Coordinates of all heavy atoms in Angstrom, one line a residue:
M1 N 109.5 118.2 115.3 CA 109.4 117.1 114.4 C 109.0 115.9 115.3 O 109.4 115.8 116.4 CB 110.7 116.8 113.7 CG 111.3 117.9 112.9 SD 112.5 117.4 111.7 CE 111.5 117.5 110.3
N2 N 108.3 115.0 114.6 CA 107.8 113.9 115.4 C 108.6 112.6 115.3 O 108.3 111.6 115.7 CB 106.3 113.6 114.9 CG 106.3 113.2 113.4 OD1 107.3 113.0 112.8 ND2 105.1 113.2 112.9
G3 N 109.8 112.7 114.6 CA 110.7 111.6 114.5 C 110.4 110.7 113.3 O 111.2 109.8 113.0
E4 N 109.3 110.9 112.6 CA 109.0 110.1 111.5 C 109.7 110.7 110.2 O 109.7 111.9 110.1 CB 107.5 109.9 111.3 CG 106.9 109.1 112.3 CD 105.4 108.9 112.1 OE1 105.0 109.0 110.9 OE2 104.6 108.7 113.0
T5 N 110.1 109.9 109.3 CA 110.7 110.5 108.1 C 109.6 110.7 107.1 O 108.9 109.8 106.8 CB 111.8 109.5 107.6 OG1 112.8 109.3 108.5 CG2 112.4 110.0 106.3
D6 N 109.5 111.9 106.6 CA 108.6 112.2 105.5 C 109.1 111.6 104.2 O 110.2 111.8 103.8 CB 108.5 113.7 105.4 CG 107.5 114.2 104.3 OD1 106.9 113.3 103.7 OD2 107.4 115.4 104.2
K7 N 108.2 110.8 103.6 CA 108.6 110.1 102.3 C 109.1 111.1 101.3 O 109.9 110.8 100.4 CB 107.5 109.3 101.8 CG 107.2 108.1 102.6 CD 106.1 107.2 102.1 CE 105.9 106.0 103.0 NZ 104.8 105.2 102.5
T8 N 108.6 112.4 101.3 CA 109.0 113.3 100.3 C 110.3 113.9 100.5 O 110.9 114.5 99.6 CB 107.9 114.5 100.2 OG1 107.9 115.1 101.5 CG2 106.6 114.0 99.8
S9 N 110.9 113.8 101.7 CA 112.2 114.3 102.0 C 113.3 113.3 101.9 O 114.4 113.6 102.1 CB 112.2 114.9 103.5 OG 112.1 113.8 104.4
R10 N 113.0 112.1 101.5 CA 114.0 111.1 101.3 C 114.8 111.3 100.1 O 114.3 111.8 99.1 CB 113.4 109.7 101.3 CG 112.7 109.3 102.6 CD 112.1 107.9 102.5 NE 113.2 106.9 102.6 CZ 113.7 106.5 103.8 NH1 113.2 107.0 104.9 NH2 114.6 105.6 103.8
G11 N 116.0 111.0 100.1 CA 116.9 111.1 98.9 C 117.5 112.5 98.8 O 117.8 113.1 99.8
V12 N 117.7 113.0 97.6 CA 118.5 114.2 97.3 C 117.8 115.3 98.1 O 116.6 115.6 98.0 CB 118.5 114.5 95.8 CG1 119.2 115.8 95.6 CG2 119.2 113.4 95.0
G13 N 118.6 116.0 98.9 CA 118.1 117.1 99.7 C 117.4 116.8 101.0 O 117.0 117.7 101.7
G14 N 117.2 115.5 101.2 CA 116.5 115.1 102.5 C 117.4 114.8 103.6 O 118.7 115.0 103.5
D15 N 116.9 114.3 104.7 CA 117.7 113.9 105.8 C 118.4 112.6 105.6 O 119.4 112.3 106.3 CB 116.9 113.8 107.1 CG 116.3 115.2 107.4 OD1 116.9 116.2 107.1 OD2 115.2 115.2 107.9
V16 N 118.0 111.8 104.7 CA 118.5 110.4 104.5 C 119.5 110.5 103.3 O 119.2 111.2 102.3 CB 117.4 109.4 104.1 CG1 118.0 108.1 103.8 CG2 116.4 109.4 105.2
P17 N 120.7 109.9 103.5 CA 121.7 110.0 102.3 C 121.1 109.4 101.1 O 120.4 108.4 101.1 CB 122.9 109.2 102.8 CG 122.7 109.1 104.3 CD 121.2 109.2 104.6
T18 N 121.4 110.0 99.9 CA 121.0 109.5 98.6 C 121.8 108.3 98.3 O 123.0 108.3 98.3 CB 121.2 110.6 97.6 OG1 120.5 111.8 98.0 CG2 120.6 110.2 96.2
P19 N 121.1 107.2 97.8 CA 121.8 106.0 97.4 C 122.7 106.3 96.2 O 122.4 107.1 95.4 CB 120.7 105.0 97.1 CG 119.5 105.7 97.5 CD 119.7 107.1 97.7
D20 N 123.8 105.6 96.1 CA 124.8 105.7 95.0 C 124.1 105.6 93.7 O 124.4 106.2 92.7 CB 125.9 104.8 95.1 CG 127.0 105.3 96.1 OD1 126.9 106.4 96.5 OD2 127.9 104.5 96.4
R21 N 123.1 104.6 93.6 CA 122.5 104.4 92.3 C 121.8 105.6 91.7 O 121.6 105.7 90.5 CB 121.5 103.2 92.4 CG 120.4 103.5 93.3 CD 119.4 102.2 93.4 NE 118.5 102.4 94.4 CZ 117.4 103.2 94.3 NH1 117.1 103.8 93.2 NH2 116.6 103.3 95.3
L22 N 121.5 106.6 92.6 CA 120.8 107.8 92.1 C 121.8 108.9 91.9 O 121.5 109.9 91.2 CB 119.8 108.3 93.2 CG 118.6 107.3 93.4 CD1 117.7 107.9 94.5 CD2 117.8 107.1 92.1
L23 N 123.0 108.8 92.5 CA 124.0 109.9 92.3 C 124.9 109.7 91.1 O 125.2 110.7 90.5 CB 124.9 109.9 93.5 CG 124.3 110.4 94.8 CD1 125.3 110.3 96.0 CD2 123.9 111.8 94.7
H24 N 125.2 108.5 90.7 CA 126.2 108.3 89.7 C 125.4 108.0 88.4 O 124.5 107.2 88.3 CB 127.1 107.2 90.0 CG 127.9 107.4 91.3 ND1 128.9 108.3 91.3 CD2 127.7 107.0 92.5 CE1 129.4 108.4 92.6 NE2 128.6 107.6 93.3
A25 N 125.9 108.7 87.3 CA 125.2 108.6 86.0 C 126.2 108.2 85.0 O 126.3 108.8 83.9 CB 124.5 109.9 85.7
G26 N 127.0 107.2 85.2 CA 128.0 106.8 84.3 C 127.4 106.2 83.0 O 126.2 106.2 82.8
S27 N 128.2 105.7 82.1 CA 127.7 105.3 80.8 C 127.5 103.8 80.8 O 127.8 103.1 79.8 CB 128.7 105.7 79.8 OG 130.0 105.0 80.0
E28 N 126.9 103.2 81.9 CA 126.7 101.8 81.9 C 125.6 101.4 80.9 O 125.7 100.3 80.4 CB 126.2 101.3 83.3 CG 127.2 101.6 84.4 CD 127.0 103.0 85.0 OE1 125.9 103.5 85.0 OE2 128.0 103.4 85.6
G29 N 124.7 102.2 80.6 CA 123.6 101.9 79.7 C 123.8 102.5 78.3 O 124.9 102.9 78.0
E30 N 122.7 102.5 77.6 CA 122.7 103.1 76.3 C 122.9 104.6 76.4 O 122.4 105.2 77.3 CB 121.5 102.7 75.5 CG 121.3 101.2 75.3 CD 122.4 100.7 74.3 OE1 122.7 101.4 73.3 OE2 122.9 99.6 74.6
Y31 N 123.5 105.2 75.4 CA 123.7 106.6 75.3 C 123.6 107.1 73.9 O 123.8 106.3 73.0 CB 124.9 107.1 76.0 CG 126.2 106.6 75.3 CD1 126.9 107.4 74.5 CD2 126.6 105.3 75.5 CE1 128.1 106.9 73.9 CE2 127.8 104.8 74.9 CZ 128.5 105.6 74.1 OH 129.6 105.2 73.4
T32 N 123.3 108.3 73.7 CA 123.2 108.9 72.3 C 124.1 110.1 72.2 O 124.7 110.6 73.2 CB 121.8 109.4 72.1 OG1 121.5 110.4 73.0 CG2 120.8 108.2 72.3
A33 N 124.3 110.6 71.0 CA 125.0 111.8 70.7 C 124.5 112.9 71.5 O 125.2 113.8 72.0 CB 125.1 112.1 69.2
E34 N 123.2 113.0 71.6 CA 122.5 114.1 72.4 C 123.0 114.0 73.9 O 123.2 115.0 74.5 CB 121.0 114.0 72.3 CG 120.3 115.1 73.0 CD 118.8 115.1 72.8 OE1 118.3 114.4 71.9 OE2 118.1 115.8 73.6
D35 N 123.1 112.8 74.4 CA 123.6 112.6 75.8 C 125.0 113.2 76.0 O 125.3 113.9 77.0 CB 123.6 111.2 76.2 CG 122.2 110.6 76.3 OD1 121.2 111.3 76.6 OD2 122.1 109.4 76.0
V36 N 125.8 112.9 75.0 CA 127.2 113.4 75.0 C 127.3 114.9 75.0 O 128.0 115.6 75.7 CB 128.1 112.8 73.9 CG1 129.5 113.4 73.9 CG2 128.1 111.3 74.1
V37 N 126.4 115.5 74.1 CA 126.4 117.0 74.0 C 125.9 117.6 75.3 O 126.5 118.5 75.8 CB 125.5 117.4 72.8 CG1 125.2 118.9 72.8 CG2 126.0 116.9 71.5
L38 N 124.9 117.1 75.8 CA 124.4 117.6 77.1 C 125.3 117.5 78.2 O 125.5 118.4 79.1 CB 123.0 117.0 77.4 CG 121.9 117.3 76.5 CD1 120.6 116.5 76.8 CD2 121.6 118.8 76.5
A39 N 126.0 116.3 78.3 CA 127.0 116.1 79.4 C 128.2 117.1 79.2 O 128.8 117.4 80.2 CB 127.5 114.7 79.3
S40 N 128.5 117.5 78.0 CA 129.6 118.4 77.8 C 129.2 119.9 78.1 O 130.0 120.8 78.1 CB 130.1 118.4 76.4 OG 129.1 119.0 75.5
G41 N 127.9 120.1 78.3 CA 127.4 121.5 78.7 C 127.1 122.3 77.4 O 126.9 123.5 77.5
R42 N 127.1 121.7 76.3 CA 126.9 122.4 75.0 C 125.4 122.4 74.6 O 124.7 121.5 75.1 CB 127.7 121.8 73.9 CG 129.2 121.8 74.2 CD 130.0 121.0 73.1 NE 131.4 120.9 73.5 CZ 132.3 120.8 72.6 NH1 132.1 120.8 71.3 NH2 133.6 120.7 73.0
D43 N 125.1 123.3 73.7 CA 123.7 123.3 73.2 C 123.5 122.1 72.2 O 124.5 121.8 71.5 CB 123.4 124.6 72.5 CG 123.3 125.8 73.5 OD1 122.9 125.6 74.6 OD2 123.7 126.9 73.0
V44 N 122.4 121.6 72.1 CA 122.1 120.5 71.2 C 121.8 121.2 69.8 O 120.8 121.9 69.7 CB 120.9 119.6 71.6 CG1 120.6 118.6 70.6 CG2 121.2 119.0 72.9
N45 N 122.7 121.1 68.9 CA 122.5 121.6 67.5 C 123.2 120.7 66.6 O 124.0 119.8 67.0 CB 122.9 123.0 67.4 CG 124.4 123.2 67.7 OD1 125.2 122.5 67.3 ND2 124.7 124.3 68.5
P46 N 123.0 120.8 65.3 CA 123.6 119.8 64.3 C 125.1 119.8 64.4 O 125.7 118.7 64.4 CB 123.1 120.4 63.0 CG 121.8 121.0 63.3 CD 122.0 121.7 64.6
K47 N 125.8 120.9 64.6 CA 127.2 121.0 64.7 C 127.7 120.2 65.9 O 128.7 119.4 65.8 CB 127.7 122.4 64.8 CG 129.2 122.6 64.9 CD 129.6 124.0 65.1 CE 131.1 124.2 65.3 NZ 131.5 125.6 65.6
N48 N 127.1 120.4 67.1 CA 127.5 119.7 68.3 C 127.1 118.2 68.3 O 127.9 117.4 68.8 CB 126.9 120.4 69.5 CG 127.6 121.7 69.8 OD1 128.7 122.0 69.3 ND2 126.8 122.6 70.5
L49 N 126.0 117.9 67.6 CA 125.7 116.5 67.5 C 126.7 115.7 66.6 O 127.1 114.6 66.9 CB 124.3 116.3 66.9 CG 123.2 116.7 67.9 CD1 121.8 116.7 67.1 CD2 123.1 115.7 69.0
A50 N 127.2 116.4 65.6 CA 128.2 115.8 64.7 C 129.5 115.6 65.5 O 130.2 114.6 65.4 CB 128.4 116.7 63.5
W51 N 129.9 116.6 66.3 CA 131.0 116.5 67.2 C 130.9 115.3 68.1 O 131.8 114.5 68.2 CB 131.2 117.8 68.0 CG 132.1 117.7 69.1 CD1 133.5 117.8 69.1 CD2 131.8 117.4 70.5 NE1 134.0 117.6 70.3 CE2 133.0 117.3 71.2 CE3 130.6 117.2 71.2 CZ2 133.1 117.1 72.6 CZ3 130.7 116.9 72.5 CH2 131.9 116.9 73.2
A52 N 129.7 115.2 68.7 CA 129.5 114.0 69.6 C 129.6 112.7 68.9 O 130.1 111.7 69.5 CB 128.2 114.2 70.3
E53 N 129.0 112.6 67.7 CA 129.1 111.4 67.0 C 130.5 111.0 66.6 O 130.9 109.8 66.7 CB 128.2 111.5 65.7 CG 126.7 111.5 66.1 CD 125.9 111.8 64.9 OE1 126.4 112.0 63.8 OE2 124.6 111.8 65.1
R54 N 131.3 112.0 66.3 CA 132.8 111.7 66.0 C 133.5 111.2 67.3 O 134.2 110.3 67.2 CB 133.5 112.9 65.4 CG 133.1 113.3 64.0 CD 134.0 114.4 63.5 NE 134.1 115.6 64.3 CZ 133.3 116.6 64.2 NH1 132.3 116.6 63.4 NH2 133.5 117.7 65.0
R55 N 133.2 111.9 68.3 CA 133.8 111.5 69.6 C 133.4 110.1 70.1 O 134.2 109.3 70.6 CB 133.4 112.5 70.7 CG 134.2 112.6 71.9 CD 133.9 113.8 72.7 NE 134.2 113.7 74.0 CZ 135.4 114.1 74.5 NH1 136.2 114.7 73.8 NH2 135.7 113.9 75.8
M56 N 132.1 109.8 69.8 CA 131.6 108.4 70.2 C 132.3 107.4 69.3 O 132.7 106.3 69.8 CB 130.1 108.3 70.0 CG 129.3 109.1 71.0 SD 127.6 109.3 70.6 CE 127.0 107.6 70.6
A57 N 132.5 107.7 68.0 CA 133.2 106.7 67.1 C 134.7 106.5 67.5 O 135.2 105.4 67.4 CB 133.1 107.3 65.7
E58 N 135.3 107.6 68.0 CA 136.7 107.5 68.4 C 136.9 106.8 69.7 O 137.9 106.1 69.9 CB 137.3 109.0 68.5 CG 137.5 109.7 67.2 CD 137.9 111.1 67.4 OE1 138.3 111.5 68.5 OE2 137.8 111.9 66.4
K59 N 136.1 107.2 70.7 CA 136.4 106.8 72.1 C 135.4 105.8 72.7 O 135.6 105.3 73.8 CB 136.4 108.0 73.0 CG 137.5 109.0 72.6 CD 137.6 110.1 73.6 CE 138.8 111.0 73.2 NZ 139.4 111.6 74.4
G60 N 134.3 105.5 72.0 CA 133.3 104.6 72.5 C 132.7 105.2 73.8 O 132.5 106.4 73.9
R61 N 132.4 104.3 74.8 CA 131.8 104.7 76.0 C 132.7 105.7 76.8 O 132.2 106.5 77.6 CB 131.5 103.5 76.9 CG 130.4 102.7 76.3 CD 130.1 101.5 77.3 NE 129.1 100.7 76.7 CZ 127.7 100.9 76.9 NH1 127.3 101.9 77.6 NH2 126.9 100.1 76.4
A62 N 134.0 105.7 76.6 CA 134.8 106.6 77.3 C 134.5 108.0 77.1 O 134.8 108.9 77.9 CB 136.3 106.3 77.0
C63 N 134.0 108.3 75.9 CA 133.6 109.7 75.6 C 132.6 110.3 76.7 O 132.7 111.5 77.0 CB 133.1 109.9 74.2 SG 131.5 109.3 73.9
L64 N 131.7 109.5 77.1 CA 130.8 110.0 78.1 C 131.4 109.9 79.5 O 131.2 110.8 80.3 CB 129.5 109.1 78.0 CG 128.3 109.7 78.7 CD1 127.9 111.1 78.3 CD2 127.1 108.8 78.5
D65 N 132.1 108.9 79.8 CA 132.8 108.7 81.1 C 133.7 109.9 81.4 O 133.8 110.3 82.6 CB 133.6 107.4 81.2 CG 132.7 106.2 81.3 OD1 131.5 106.3 81.8 OD2 133.2 105.1 80.9
E66 N 134.3 110.4 80.4 CA 135.2 111.6 80.6 C 134.5 112.8 81.0 O 135.1 113.7 81.6 CB 136.0 111.9 79.3 CG 137.0 110.8 79.0 CD 137.6 111.0 77.6 OE1 137.2 111.8 76.8 OE2 138.6 110.3 77.3
L67 N 133.2 112.9 80.7 CA 132.4 114.1 80.9 C 131.6 114.0 82.2 O 131.2 115.1 82.8 CB 131.5 114.4 79.8 CG 132.2 114.6 78.4 CD1 131.1 114.6 77.3 CD2 132.9 116.0 78.5
L68 N 131.3 112.8 82.7 CA 130.5 112.7 83.9 C 131.3 112.4 85.1 O 132.4 111.8 85.0 CB 129.5 111.5 83.7 CG 128.5 111.7 82.5 CD1 127.7 110.4 82.3 CD2 127.6 112.8 82.8
P69 N 130.7 112.8 86.3 CA 131.5 112.6 87.5 C 131.5 111.1 87.9 O 130.8 110.3 87.4 CB 130.6 113.3 88.6 CG 129.3 113.6 88.0 CD 129.5 113.5 86.5

């Protein structure tokens, strides 16, 4: 290696640590029922979307925070 950092190796999987802003995906921004379904590991279908909408109505943003690291 020549000591130079390859721009394609920066970040996830590279030699340089990944910045926190790229690692954490909390619910700081907007989110949808589909986001909640996907974060739960379930398939996106009408039944699961209805479940996510009920969960969002009950818990607000906490419904997504509980599912994400």
Side-chain angles (χ1 to χ4, degrees):
M1 302 198 106
N2 62 11
E4 291 182 27
T5 302
D6 179 0
K7 290 181 182 181
T8 60
S9 69
R10 297 184 75 85
V12 178
D15 297 328
V16 178
T18 304
D20 278 350
R21 66 182 168 75
L22 297 177
L23 289 175
H24 301 284
S27 61
E28 298 88 27
E30 295 297 317
Y31 63 101
T32 65
E34 185 175 341
D35 295 328
V36 175
V37 171
L38 292 173
S40 72
R42 301 173 187 210
D43 292 329
V44 177
N45 61 44
K47 179 182 175 184
N48 290 337
L49 288 170
W51 165 82
E53 289 171 0
R54 287 190 307 273
R55 196 165 160 97
M56 289 168 62
E58 291 173 14
K59 299 187 176 211
R61 292 183 181 271
C63 72
L64 195 56
D65 288 334
E66 292 172 349
L67 298 169
L68 295 174

